[in-house]
């Protein structure tokens, strides 16, 4: 992934997450594609070692992975790369919900990862391209790479219908919980090399 890829990858994310329960919860009843695009754009710009895989130049499907030891988005980096304006415009309620969600995710992740675990930061497919095998197309090469190194991969999803897709790729549900302050399910899933 290069800096030039980030706007296309963030736009794919904004389209793919329309109707996603977590973002409806975090930002209130009205989905904001520009807010989601800002979140993922800022997160991609401030992450170190982030591996981005896309199916085509149009970025109809995107998978973003953090390898072991890579640094995900820091709060300061996120704010410096466009997040501050978003948080100011989104309001204090959104900031509180985001903070509670991030704390919860770190706690759950800590129970299921170690220093040799990759993190699937994001997988998205534009709505008009879903159901065409693009998720597998962008995921399988990286999972093969991870498997060759006998490592693990961890992800989270808040949509029950995504669980089957990830199970098809070899992930297993390690824990099921609930996003704080909501009734939205939170699935923590792990992929183990050798369990393909």
């Amino acid at each position: 992934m290069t800096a030039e890829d980030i706007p296309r990858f963030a736009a794919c994310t904004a389209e793919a997450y329309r109707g996603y329960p977590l973002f409806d919860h975090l930002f209130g009843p009205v989905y904001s594609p520009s807010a989601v695009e800002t979140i993922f754009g800022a997160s991609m710009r401030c992450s170190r070692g982030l591996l981005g895989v896309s199916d085509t130049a149009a970025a109809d499907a995107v998978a973003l992975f953090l390898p072991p030891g890579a640094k995900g988005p820091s709060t300061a980096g996120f704010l410096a790369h466009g997040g501050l304006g978003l948080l100011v415009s989104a309001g204090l309620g959104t900031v509180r919900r985001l903070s509670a969600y991030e704390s919860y995710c770190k706690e759950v992740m800590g129970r299921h990862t170690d220093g040799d675990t990759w993190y699937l930061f994001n997988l998205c497919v534009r709505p008009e391209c879903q159901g065409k095998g693009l998720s597998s197309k962008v995921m399988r090469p990286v999972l093969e790479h991870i498997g060759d190194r006998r490592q693990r991969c961890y992800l989270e999803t808040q949509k029950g219908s995504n669980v089957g897709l990830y199970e098809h790729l070899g992930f297993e549900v390690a824990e099921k919980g609930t996003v704080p302050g909501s009734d939205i399910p939170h699935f923590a899933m792990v992929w183990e090399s050798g369990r393909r």
Side-chain angles (χ1 to χ4, degrees):
M1 179 179 72
T2 66
E4 291 77 34
D5 293 322
I6 291 174
R8 291 181 299 110
F9 285 16
C12 176
T13 302
E15 287 181 40
Y17 282 126
R18 186 176 299 277
Y20 195 75
L22 177 65
F23 290 105
D24 291 344
H25 166 68
L26 294 175
F27 293 103
V30 180
Y31 180 77
S32 170
S34 63
V36 173
E37 199 165 335
T38 298
I39 286 172
F40 281 93
S43 296
M44 284 183 255
R45 282 189 291 279
C46 71
S47 294
R48 299 289 173 251
L50 187 67
L51 171 66
V53 180
S54 179
D55 64 317
T56 64
D60 292 327
V62 173
L64 302 171
F65 291 87
L66 282 169
K71 299 295 181 197
S74 67
T75 301
F78 175 78
L79 295 175
H81 287 92
L84 181 59
L86 169 69
L87 295 180
V88 169
S89 66
L92 191 55
T94 295
V95 173
R96 286 185 180 136
R97 288 187 295 274
L98 274 168
S99 178
Y101 172 70
E102 286 297 321
S103 294
Y104 173 72
C105 287
K106 285 180 183 177
E107 177 187 320
V108 174
M109 181 186 242
R111 290 194 288 270
H112 303 288
T113 62
D114 59 25
D116 209 26
T117 304
W118 288 64
Y119 174 56
L120 177 60
F121 180 70
N122 188 24
L123 172 65
C124 59
V125 179
R126 293 182 194 273
E128 67 273 14
C129 299
Q130 293 176 2
K132 299 179 181 178
L134 296 180
S135 294
S136 292
K137 184 177 179 181
V138 296
M139 291 282 293
R140 288 207 187 276
V142 180
L143 291 176
E144 286 175 15
H145 175 80
I146 294 168
D148 289 346
R149 284 151 185 73
R150 310 293 297 163
Q151 295 173 314
R152 301 162 28 124
C153 187
Y154 173 85
L155 66 82
E156 300 144 340
T157 185
Q158 292 76 37
K159 201 169 180 182
S161 59
N162 288 347
V163 171
L165 162 74
Y166 291 121
E167 287 175 335
H168 177 74
L169 291 167
F171 286 84
E172 292 184 357
V173 174
E175 183 175 335
K176 181 182 177 196
T178 305
V179 173
S182 77
D183 59 356
I184 299 167
H186 179 90
F187 299 90
M189 301 186 75
V190 176
W191 184 93
E192 302 268 358
S193 61
R195 216 175 45 190
R196 292 184 261 174

